[in-house]
Amino acid sequence: MSYEVWNTGSGNLIAAFESEVEAVAFAEASMREHGAAYLEQLALVQEDRDGRLEMVAEGSALLACAVARRDAVLSGAGSPTGATSA
């Protein structure tokens, strides 16, 4: 199973990760680097062992996951266990 971050505007695969937590951490880092508006064009997709894809979060839902992770880290609570499904 893998988690992939896609640019929905260009259709390009941006990055792939073994866990949802890693993928959301990437989204949070991207938000810090490029700004919140950047996440509006990204989607987090889960690919299972059979190659089936399922949307986990995109746009504002992915932004909400990234903000929640950032807030948890800043508050000292650590990182959440995963993203919220869209």
Side-chain angles (χ1 to χ4, degrees):
M1 187 173 333
S2 69
Y3 292 85
E4 302 170 346
V5 178
W6 289 83
N7 182 306
T8 58
S10 69
N12 290 328
L13 175 64
I14 305 297
F17 303 92
E18 291 185 11
S19 76
E20 188 173 349
V21 171
E22 291 172 309
V24 172
F26 173 82
E28 189 266 336
S30 295
M31 179 180 67
R32 280 187 281 119
E33 184 174 340
H34 302 289
Y38 178 70
L39 294 188
E40 288 298 326
Q41 61 187 334
L42 299 183
L44 176 58
V45 176
Q46 176 187 14
E47 182 176 359
D48 69 15
R49 292 184 189 116
D50 296 323
R52 290 184 298 249
L53 301 175
E54 181 179 340
M55 180 69 66
V56 175
E58 67 180 312
S60 59
L62 183 54
L63 175 60
C65 293
V67 168
R69 181 186 185 285
R70 180 200 61 201
D71 292 348
V73 169
L74 290 176
S75 73
S79 64
T81 58
T84 303
S85 295

